[in-house]
Amino acid sequence: MQRAFTLFSLKKRILAVLLVISFIFCSLVVRLFVLQVINGKQLQARATDQWTRDLSIVAPRGTIYDRTGSALAVSYTTYNVYVRAREVKEKSNTAVHLSQILELDFESVYAKLSKNTSEVLIKMQVEGEEAEEIYKLKLPGVYLAENSNRYYTYGNLLTQVLGFISIDNVGQTGIEAYYNDLLKGKDGYSYVQSDLQGKEIGGSLRYYVAGQAGKDLTLTIDSKMQLIVEQALEKIMIEQKAKAVTGMILNAKTGEILSLSSKPSFDLNDVPRDDLEKLFADSKIKPATDIYEPGSTFKILTVAAALEEGLTTLEDRFYCPGFRVIDGIRIKCWRTIGHGSQTLTEAFANSCNCCFMDLALRLGVDKFYSYMSKFGLGQKTGIDATGEASGILMAKKLVKNVDLARMGFGHAIALTPLQLLSAVSAITNGGTFNSPHLLLGGSTISKARKVENIISYNTSQTVNGLLEFAENKTGKYTFVEGYNVGGKTGTAQKYKETGGIDTGKYISSFVGTYPANDPEYIVFVMVDEPSNGAYYGSIVAAPYGKEIFTNLFDYLGEQKQDESIIIEYVDMPDVVGKSLTECAIIMKELGLDYELDGEGEFIERQLPPVGTSLAKGSTILLITN
């Protein structure tokens, strides 16, 4: 029997159909919402990527200036050469032209042209002349994209400070690396429309998005002062046959680094990338990254702490027989025959180890370590440079009297040159610590540390007087004729990586202050492994510190504090074969100071040689048998 359709059943069917249609429509709406709203930008980017080809336009890095406004590092336009292989009509001919102009291997270029890819890089950082030659050939499928390269105005000046960039414009060392985010800028792009095979569509739209140049930076460095320091360092490398040398000029009032250099170095416009280990060793800002045992320059810190604690005075007397016995261990003074009885002022000028062992023991471990912390030892200075070291301090609970005594004269402790100079600048600057930095002003010096009242103003002035007396042995203003310069030299042995003293290897150093009564400039010279016969800081480092000061005064137009000072000169006598007693008498009569090497009674060798003209007050080396 045939089933009859009722009005009710028909309505149910219509309703079911409407529900299905509504569901499909809602699904389409939801799908469209997902595609156009939620995933719209992503899908649009993918579509754009499929029907366009883009070339990156590298933004020029910001210019780096010195404090006088002289450009130190500037960017200039270069080009990257790309090939879209599917558009190349004559691969062999194109490969010949590109390989000849770009000085590349033909087979390598041809292989790239034969790849089934939409785009391949042939060479980066192509200079303008070569790029123009390629452009004039109008080779199908060959494209040029703007890039940026770096030019360093002074070549091998400021090698470590400025640093260098990689081939893709990323800072790798120095300021280029530390402030890379500020210097790098924002890259632009060039777009062209293409078909499914990646070929450019003729007559299609082209898009160009310009890059944004990086931020310009101004450094604390003075390029003229830098040149003065680097010329002195070059002389040291030759005359003292040193393994390496470092020099700095620091503004004690502000912490601004006016000059910083290490040798050996290299030309930043021709970076030697064939030996990466040596490259990065020569690129380090060594005053911040390398630690060393400072020797006698550290005595500035010890005497400042002892004076501040009231544990000594300028008239305090110390007796030096040439050694001290502490914890049953005999520790020598550098002058093995001893200095005899001397005041603190004389002991500081004589750099007597025995005096500074006594001062360290008077301070005791707790107070000594408290002052070392105030002076910034065992912690980073906050300089705006990568890889800064913290130095090495023995764990306080392990320190014995014999260790403390050695620390008093700059042994058994390791620090960076920057830590030493920061501490010296605070001590000589009325007790105010200023974090050393390379960027001039600005809020980017986020790690700057400033601590007031490390020591009192009176202690600071007393130390300044000691430094002045130490470097002007023949009278006031005689270290640099007519100028009020203070200073201290240091000599320290080197240690093997496996431990133990590395026999015959030394680090010689000099720290100088000007004006001595209220220092603004601190000059530092460090000579690593001098091998020309002498190694004492007074002979190897101080003369070059004097040369830096002399040239610095000429540059600054500084007036002499005393125009009447006239330095007398004497000829180096022949003292080989004479006894130490005879030599001491001769040197005193000539107004010459001397350092002793060895514990014999008679002189076997002397430096400098007989007949050398020497200014009175100069230090010579006597080597005993």
Side-chain angles (χ1 to χ4, degrees):
M1 184 177 81
Q2 188 174 7
R3 187 173 179 180
F5 289 98
T6 66
L7 182 61
F8 179 73
S9 65
L10 184 61
K11 287 181 178 180
K12 286 178 65 178
R13 292 189 180 194
I14 292 172
L15 180 61
V17 171
L18 289 174
L19 287 173
V20 170
I21 293 173
S22 297
F23 176 78
I24 293 172
F25 179 77
C26 289
S27 297
L28 290 173
V29 170
V30 171
R31 181 59 177 163
L32 286 172
F33 180 81
V34 170
L35 291 175
Q36 292 188 354
V37 179
I38 297 177
N39 295 333
K41 290 184 178 180
Q42 180 182 352
L43 292 172
Q44 191 175 26
R46 289 174 62 183
T48 301
D49 186 59
Q50 290 179 351
W51 52 262
T52 64
R53 292 292 175 263
D54 67 280
L55 296 176
S56 177
I57 299 172
V58 178
R61 293 174 71 84
T63 300
I64 302 176
Y65 297 94
D66 81 342
R67 66 187 303 113
T68 68
S70 178
L72 303 174
V74 296
S75 291
Y76 67 97
T77 302
T78 58
Y79 299 87
N80 294 342
V81 179
Y82 293 90
V83 167
R84 292 181 181 134
R86 291 166 181 160
E87 297 181 22
V88 177
K89 295 179 179 179
E90 299 179 8
K91 289 184 170 53
S92 179
N93 182 54
T94 302
V96 168
H97 285 299
L98 293 180
S99 60
Q100 289 178 349
I101 296 172
L102 302 177
E103 297 183 353
L104 298 173
D105 177 65
F106 169 81
E107 297 297 335
S108 175
V109 175
Y110 186 80
K112 289 182 177 181
L113 297 182
S114 301
K115 287 183 177 180
N116 188 29
T117 56
S118 59
E119 192 171 274
V120 62
L121 174 67
I122 301 298
K123 187 176 181 179
M124 297 179 68
Q125 301 288 12
V126 175
E127 297 293 331
E129 292 181 1
E130 297 170 332
E132 185 177 3
E133 194 173 345
I134 292 173
Y135 177 76
K136 288 179 178 178
L137 291 174
K138 302 292 184 183
L139 298 170
V142 178
Y143 295 86
L144 297 172
E146 284 186 16
N147 200 341
S148 179
N149 204 352
R150 211 65 160 153
Y151 176 73
Y152 299 93
T153 311
Y154 297 104
N156 64 353
L157 202 72
L158 288 161
T159 297
Q160 293 83 19
V161 171
L162 294 176
F164 56 88
I165 61 174
S166 64
I167 195 169
D168 50 358
N169 265 276
V170 176
Q172 293 192 299
T173 63
I175 289 293
E176 295 279 26
Y178 192 88
Y179 289 115
N180 184 65
D181 288 345
L182 292 176
L183 289 165
K184 68 180 180 180
K186 185 177 181 180
D187 291 347
Y189 300 92
S190 173
Y191 296 94
V192 295
Q193 290 181 317
S194 62
D195 60 18
L196 291 176
Q197 292 183 325
K199 295 181 181 180
E200 183 179 348
I201 300 173
S204 62
L205 295 174
R206 288 176 175 267
Y207 304 91
Y208 177 83
V209 180
Q212 297 177 13
K215 181 180 176 61
D216 295 341
L217 300 180
T218 300
L219 304 185
T220 59
I221 294 292
D222 185 314
S223 56
K224 296 293 195 319
M225 293 186 190
Q226 183 73 17
L227 183 60
I228 288 169
V229 169
E230 295 215 14
Q231 287 175 337
L233 298 188
E234 292 287 359
K235 286 183 66 176
I236 298 174
M237 289 292 286
I238 296 170
E239 295 175 356
Q240 300 301 329
K241 300 177 181 177
K243 176 184 178 182
V245 290
T246 293
M248 284 183 61
I249 301 177
L250 178 72
N251 187 320
K253 302 293 185 184
T254 63
E256 294 171 357
I257 297 171
L258 303 172
S259 171
L260 186 156
S261 179
S262 295
K263 302 293 179 184
S265 61
F266 53 88
D267 188 338
L268 289 171
N269 293 317
D270 186 21
V271 179
R273 302 178 190 271
D274 52 332
D275 186 342
L276 292 181
E277 185 176 352
K278 184 177 187 306
L279 171 61
F280 283 99
D282 292 344
S283 299
K284 291 193 300 181
I285 299 180
K286 292 182 179 180
T289 62
D290 289 9
I291 60 174
Y292 77 116
E293 191 176 77
S296 294
T297 52
F298 187 84
K299 292 171 182 175
I300 302 170
L301 281 62
T302 303
V303 76
L307 285 166
E308 183 70 10
E309 286 296 310
L311 299 173
T312 189
T313 64
L314 295 180
E315 294 73 30
D316 199 0
R317 299 200 72 85
F318 300 84
Y319 181 75
C320 171
F323 63 92
R324 287 280 190 272
V325 178
I326 302 171
D327 290 345
I329 297 175
R330 182 185 175 105
I331 306 175
K332 298 177 186 177
C333 180
W334 69 266
R335 186 181 174 95
T336 54
I337 62 174
H339 291 100
S341 180
Q342 56 196 331
T343 65
L344 176 66
T345 301
E346 293 167 337
F348 187 84
N350 292 332
S351 199
C352 175
N353 290 351
C354 292
C355 167
F356 287 88
M357 287 189 257
D358 293 348
L359 293 180
L361 292 173
R362 290 182 190 180
L363 282 163
V365 174
D366 287 339
K367 284 184 179 177
F368 186 89
Y369 267 67
S370 174
Y371 276 96
M372 294 310 104
S373 177
K374 288 181 180 179
F375 293 148
L377 272 60
Q379 53 194 293
K380 297 178 180 180
T381 66
I383 184 178
D384 38 351
T386 56
E388 184 180 11
S390 300
I392 299 175
L393 281 173
M394 188 183 298
K396 188 167 72 169
K397 63 182 180 180
L398 301 177
V399 176
K400 300 177 181 177
N401 282 339
V402 66
D403 303 313
L404 183 59
R406 288 194 174 110
M407 290 180 192
F409 60 89
H411 287 207
I413 194 168
L415 43 72
T416 67
L418 266 176
Q419 286 176 319
L420 176 68
L421 289 200
S422 296
V424 171
S425 71
I427 291 169
T428 60
N429 186 35
T432 302
F433 181 97
N434 289 293
S435 183
H437 54 276
L438 288 164
L439 187 66
L440 187 63
S443 60
T444 49
I445 311 171
S446 57
K447 298 179 182 178
R449 166 180 173 252
K450 189 168 184 176
V451 181
E452 301 290 340
N453 302 322
I454 291 175
I455 59 170
S456 67
Y457 178 78
N458 288 338
T459 297
S460 176
Q461 287 298 97
T462 303
V463 174
N464 286 338
L466 289 171
L467 289 166
E468 181 182 356
F469 183 80
E471 282 307 316
N472 296 273
K473 297 182 177 66
T474 59
K476 203 170 181 66
Y477 310 150
T478 55
F479 177 65
V480 179
E481 184 178 333
Y483 291 94
N484 185 15
V485 176
K488 188 77 187 75
T489 60
T491 310
Q493 292 178 304
K494 294 186 68 174
Y495 291 83
K496 301 175 183 177
E497 291 184 4
T498 55
I501 293 172
D502 203 345
T503 306
K505 294 183 178 180
Y506 299 87
I507 291 179
S508 310
S509 59
F510 166 79
V511 175
T513 60
Y514 177 81
N517 60 325
D518 185 22
E520 180 176 358
Y521 300 101
I522 297 180
V523 168
F524 176 76
V525 176
M526 185 175 75
V527 186
D528 187 3
E529 294 185 26
S531 57
N532 197 31
Y535 56 83
Y536 285 104
S538 55
I539 298 172
V540 172
Y544 300 97
K546 177 179 180 178
E547 181 178 318
I548 290 172
F549 269 124
T550 301
N551 292 327
L552 178 62
F553 298 150
D554 286 342
Y555 167 58
L556 295 174
E558 287 285 303
Q559 297 297 313
K560 292 183 178 182
Q561 279 74 39
D562 190 338
E563 295 284 352
S564 66
I565 298 295
I566 299 175
I567 303 295
E568 295 182 46
Y569 289 83
V570 295
D571 291 336
M572 178 68 188
D574 185 0
V575 294
V576 173
K578 296 184 183 299
S579 68
L580 286 178
T581 303
E582 289 178 289
C583 282
I585 295 171
I586 293 171
M587 295 304 138
K588 186 174 182 179
E589 290 176 347
L590 293 174
L592 297 175
D593 201 1
Y594 62 94
E595 306 275 12
L596 284 176
D597 187 5
E599 300 179 26
E601 185 180 349
F602 296 93
I603 306 304
E604 188 176 77
R605 290 171 53 207
Q606 65 180 54
L607 284 173
V610 177
T612 303
S613 180
L614 298 169
K616 282 192 174 184
S618 297
T619 303
I620 57 115
L621 177 64
L622 302 176
I623 303 170
T624 70
N625 58 351

